């Protein structure tokens, strides 16, 4: 049997859920009145979302209120004496407890991340209907489509698109964990740099006593001294006097590195934390250890924590260092060769492609910057482009390389180095002079007259 359900202009998406096969239907329309067709099986329920908001990770917005209707289409879908749960995805929650309205004998309990519906054993209602409202926030490390779930006795679990999340920042190590292996019982050991990258201006905020902090697990490793914290892109400012190592008093970790924002950015910025030193004792186990990042400067909701759901105890956590990594010796990289004017190049005997062909200009060979991302084994996030300043920044372990458009000078760890040619844009691609860039990243180049190819080797 077919039913026609009309929604108002605000109703942008609805999902209908049934016990029968082929039971999930999505409909979306930009027309003034949306029509959603519901096929009704022997038993069924409908879950509809009035609007799927696109929210910014880590930020509050009281205007983004989501309403979810949960309705029995056929009496008896909610089995007497049983429970149904509606759960927000991990990393998404309501700023306050989810508000649920209903006129029935149902028992409803809510947290900031979950609705639990208990059906009375002697249910009296013909059809149950609940309306839930929530102001959603997303953890700062979340992005993409977020789906809630509904399940219960007699109800097959289904997912419902509840929100879309745009990232505001990235927090990551500038090198893979295995690039630095810590030894047991050794002091002042070098650890990978950290990058705090804003996707939007003002992502790292200055508000009251807002800070950025990070720590290691408690198992016998701690920071030996305050690191260097500086801004390598954008106009954000760090309070240099706020950078410090604080002893922990909760037992969760031995100490914590913290610093504060002095001035918020007016254009997306990048913070680099370098010269990080770690001391270990002789009792910790071999393996990989995570770094935990938190702080009010990173997120409006970083420290909000619902005691039941425990969804927001931190901003981010990721693998950071190894202890006694067994494969510390990096495999020797193959020789790289390319033909000027070609899109292809070779790493050893493996043929690869650049995003744009190399070319010759004023007796200099230009290649797209992603060529060096691949040949150096870097992540895309280690290459930064500032459109406002027209500055290219490349991060290679502890080295910062910066090149500016129409400027024949490069900055290598704050030291200016002359170049034979500057960087340029062609067809939307950032192109760099091959020989100059190779020298900056520690590669050697030579011309093979017999084949007409350029040969590159890692130093």
């Amino acid at each position: 049997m077919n039913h026609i359900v009309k929604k108002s202009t605000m109703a942008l998406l609805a999902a209908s859920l049934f016990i029968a096969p082929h039971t999930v239907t999505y409909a979306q329309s930009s027309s003034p009145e949306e029509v959603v067709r519901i096929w009704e099986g022997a038993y069924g329920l409908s879950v509809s979302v009035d609007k799927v908001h696109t929210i910014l990770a880590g930020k509050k917005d009281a205007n983004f209120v989501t309403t979810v209707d949960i309705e029995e289409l056929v009496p008896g879908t909610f089995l007497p004496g049983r429970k149904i749960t509606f759960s927000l995805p991990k990393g998404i929650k309501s700023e306050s407890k989810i508000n649920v309205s209903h006129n029935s004998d149902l028992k409803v309990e809510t947290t900031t991340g979950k609705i639990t519906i208990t059906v009375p054993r002697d249910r009296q209602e013909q059809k149950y209907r609940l309306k839930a409202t929530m102001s959603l926030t997303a953890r700062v490390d979340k992005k993409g489509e977020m789906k809630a779930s509904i399940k219960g006795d007699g109800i097959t679990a289904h997912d419902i698109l509840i929100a879309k999340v745009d990232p505001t920042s990235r927090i990551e190590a500038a090198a893979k964990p295995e690039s630095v292996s810590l030894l047991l019982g050794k002091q002042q050991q070098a650890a990978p740099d950290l990058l705090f990258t804003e996707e939007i201006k003002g992502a790292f905020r200055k508000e009251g006593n807002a800070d950025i902090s990070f720590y290691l697990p408690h198992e016998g490793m701690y920071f030996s001294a305050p690191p260097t914290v500086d801004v390598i892109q954008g106009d954000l400012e760090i309070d240099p006097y706020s950078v410090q190592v604080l002893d922990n008093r909760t037992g969760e970790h031995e100490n914590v590195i913290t610093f504060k924002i002095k001035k918020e950015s007016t254009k997306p910025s990048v913070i680099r934390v370098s010269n990080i030193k770690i001391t270990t004792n002789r009792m910790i186990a071999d393996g990989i250890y995570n770094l935990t990042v938190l702080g009010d400067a990173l997120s409006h909701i970083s420290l909000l924590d619902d005691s039941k759901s425990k969804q927001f105890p931190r901003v981010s956590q990721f693998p950071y260092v190894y202890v006694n990594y067994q494969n510390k010796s990096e495999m020797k990289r193959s020789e790289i060769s390319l033909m000027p004017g070609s899109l292809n190049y070779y790493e050893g005997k493996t043929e690869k492609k650049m995003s744009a062909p190399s070319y010759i200009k004023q007796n200099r060979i230009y290649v797209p910057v992603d060529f060096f991302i691949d040949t150096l084994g870097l992540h895309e996030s280690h290459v930064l482009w500032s459109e406002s300043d027209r500055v290219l920044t490349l991060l290679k372990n502890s080295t910062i390389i910066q090149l500016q458009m129409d400027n024949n000078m490069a900055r290598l760890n704050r030291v200016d180095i002359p170049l034979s040619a500057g960087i340029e844009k062609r067809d939307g691609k950032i192109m760099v002079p091959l020989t100059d860039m190779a020298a900056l990243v520690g590669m050697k180049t030579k011309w093979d007259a017999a084949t007409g190819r350029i040969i590159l080797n890692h130093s």
Side-chain angles (χ1 to χ4, degrees):
M1 180 178 180
N2 285 326
H3 288 265
I4 303 295
V5 179
K6 295 188 177 181
K7 299 282 185 180
S8 66
T9 304
M10 292 299 294
L12 299 184
L13 180 145
S16 299
L17 310 177
F18 302 92
I19 306 302
H22 308 293
T23 59
V24 181
T25 303
Y26 289 95
Q28 189 166 353
S29 173
S30 58
S31 59
E33 242 184 41
E34 179 190 354
V35 178
V36 181
R37 294 189 179 275
I38 298 176
W39 181 82
E40 186 176 299
Y43 293 96
L45 67 92
S46 169
V47 179
S48 63
V49 180
D50 69 329
K51 184 173 183 179
V52 177
H53 293 286
T54 298
I55 58 180
L56 293 175
K59 306 300 180 186
K60 297 178 183 178
D61 193 328
N63 295 318
F64 289 170
V65 176
T66 300
T67 300
V68 179
D69 282 308
I70 303 173
E71 180 182 6
E72 275 188 306
L73 297 176
V74 176
T77 301
F78 290 2
L79 299 179
R82 304 300 177 89
K83 290 185 177 181
I84 300 103
T85 59
F86 176 91
S87 303
L88 294 175
K90 186 176 181 181
I92 296 286
K93 71 177 208 177
S94 178
E95 287 184 30
S96 56
K97 283 188 176 182
I98 299 172
N99 180 48
V100 176
S101 60
H102 65 99
N103 294 317
S104 66
D105 54 359
L106 291 172
K107 179 183 177 182
V108 180
E109 298 175 303
T110 66
T111 67
T112 58
K114 188 176 182 180
I115 302 170
T116 302
I117 303 165
T118 303
V119 185
R121 293 185 180 277
D122 55 344
R123 60 168 290 170
Q124 303 296 319
E125 295 288 333
Q126 287 297 309
K127 292 182 183 180
Y128 287 119
R129 181 175 182 179
L130 305 91
K131 183 183 293 290
T133 57
M134 59 203 82
S135 184
L136 298 177
T137 58
R139 203 167 62 201
V140 73
D141 60 341
K142 290 297 175 182
K143 64 179 179 179
E145 293 187 345
M146 297 289 121
K147 294 182 179 180
S149 65
I150 188 166
K151 60 183 179 180
D153 296 319
I155 298 175
T156 304
H158 288 285
D159 293 334
I160 306 100
L161 182 64
I162 194 75
K164 295 179 181 179
V165 181
D166 282 348
T168 56
S169 62
R170 299 193 311 274
I171 307 167
E172 59 198 344
K176 295 179 180 180
E178 57 267 29
S179 65
V180 177
S181 180
L182 302 180
L183 302 176
L184 297 179
K186 187 176 179 181
Q187 298 184 0
Q188 301 279 337
Q189 300 181 75
D193 294 350
L194 295 172
L195 299 175
F196 295 78
T197 304
E198 291 185 316
E199 300 283 2
I200 61 172
K201 66 180 181 180
F204 303 150
R205 64 195 182 100
K206 179 184 183 299
E207 184 175 307
N209 201 36
D211 67 329
I212 297 176
S213 302
F214 54 90
Y215 61 87
L216 292 160
H218 192 276
E219 295 92 340
M221 61 171 62
Y222 57 91
F223 298 111
S224 309
T228 300
V229 181
D230 50 15
V231 177
I232 61 174
Q233 181 174 301
D235 58 357
L236 179 143
E237 294 182 17
I238 301 296
D239 179 0
Y241 301 104
S242 68
V243 182
Q244 53 187 315
V245 179
L246 301 177
D247 290 335
N248 175 51
R249 301 182 186 277
T250 66
E252 187 177 0
H253 47 86
E254 293 200 9
N255 60 14
V256 59
I257 288 177
T258 184
F259 60 91
K260 301 181 186 299
I261 305 299
K262 181 179 180 180
K263 180 183 176 183
E264 292 184 9
S265 66
T266 61
K267 51 188 176 183
S269 301
V270 180
I271 302 170
R272 185 195 195 205
V273 183
S274 58
N275 298 319
I276 301 172
K277 304 296 182 183
I278 295 176
T279 293
T280 62
N281 66 24
R282 295 185 177 277
M283 303 300 293
I284 59 177
D286 294 352
I288 194 167
Y289 289 83
N290 291 337
L291 186 83
T292 299
V293 184
L294 51 82
D296 290 341
L298 295 169
S299 171
H300 286 289
I301 43 81
S302 63
L303 298 181
L304 293 180
D305 183 16
D306 179 70
S307 59
K308 293 182 179 180
S309 68
K310 295 292 183 185
Q311 288 194 54
F312 286 90
R314 57 180 177 267
V315 171
S316 184
Q317 188 178 77
F318 50 85
Y320 182 54
V321 290
Y322 267 98
V323 172
N324 285 340
Y325 183 58
Q326 297 300 310
N327 187 24
K328 296 189 288 292
S329 59
E330 185 181 2
M331 293 182 63
K332 185 177 180 181
R333 289 183 174 273
S334 301
E335 184 177 80
I336 299 162
S337 65
L338 62 92
M339 180 71 73
S342 175
L343 186 68
N344 302 329
Y345 69 96
Y346 285 86
E347 187 167 0
K349 295 182 179 180
T350 303
E351 185 178 15
K352 296 186 174 183
K353 288 184 180 293
M354 293 181 272
S355 63
S358 58
Y359 59 85
I360 298 176
K361 180 179 178 180
Q362 297 179 348
N363 295 323
R364 293 175 182 85
I365 300 172
Y366 281 78
V367 295
V369 69
D370 59 75
F371 168 80
F372 284 98
I373 298 177
D374 182 63
T375 57
L376 294 173
L378 301 179
H379 189 273
E380 288 184 2
S381 63
H382 298 163
V383 178
L384 312 171
W385 170 252
S386 172
E387 186 64 40
S388 57
D389 299 326
R390 300 203 303 171
V391 171
L392 173 70
T393 302
L394 188 143
L395 308 169
K396 180 178 180 287
N397 297 327
S398 60
T399 302
I400 302 178
I401 301 166
Q402 291 184 309
L403 303 96
Q404 187 172 32
M405 199 81 74
D406 302 323
N407 189 338
N408 285 20
M409 295 291 291
R411 175 157 288 192
L412 180 64
N413 288 343
R414 300 184 180 180
V415 177
D416 290 335
I417 297 175
L419 304 175
S420 65
I423 63 174
E424 60 184 42
K425 263 193 172 184
R426 176 177 286 197
D427 297 329
K429 299 290 184 181
I430 300 173
M431 309 297 291
V432 297
L434 176 65
T435 303
D436 287 315
M437 194 67 176
L440 290 171
V441 299
M443 299 179 76
K444 296 179 179 179
T445 60
K446 65 178 181 180
W447 169 258
D448 187 340
T451 61
R453 304 184 72 85
I454 301 294
I455 309 298
L456 294 92
N457 287 284
H458 294 269
S459 300

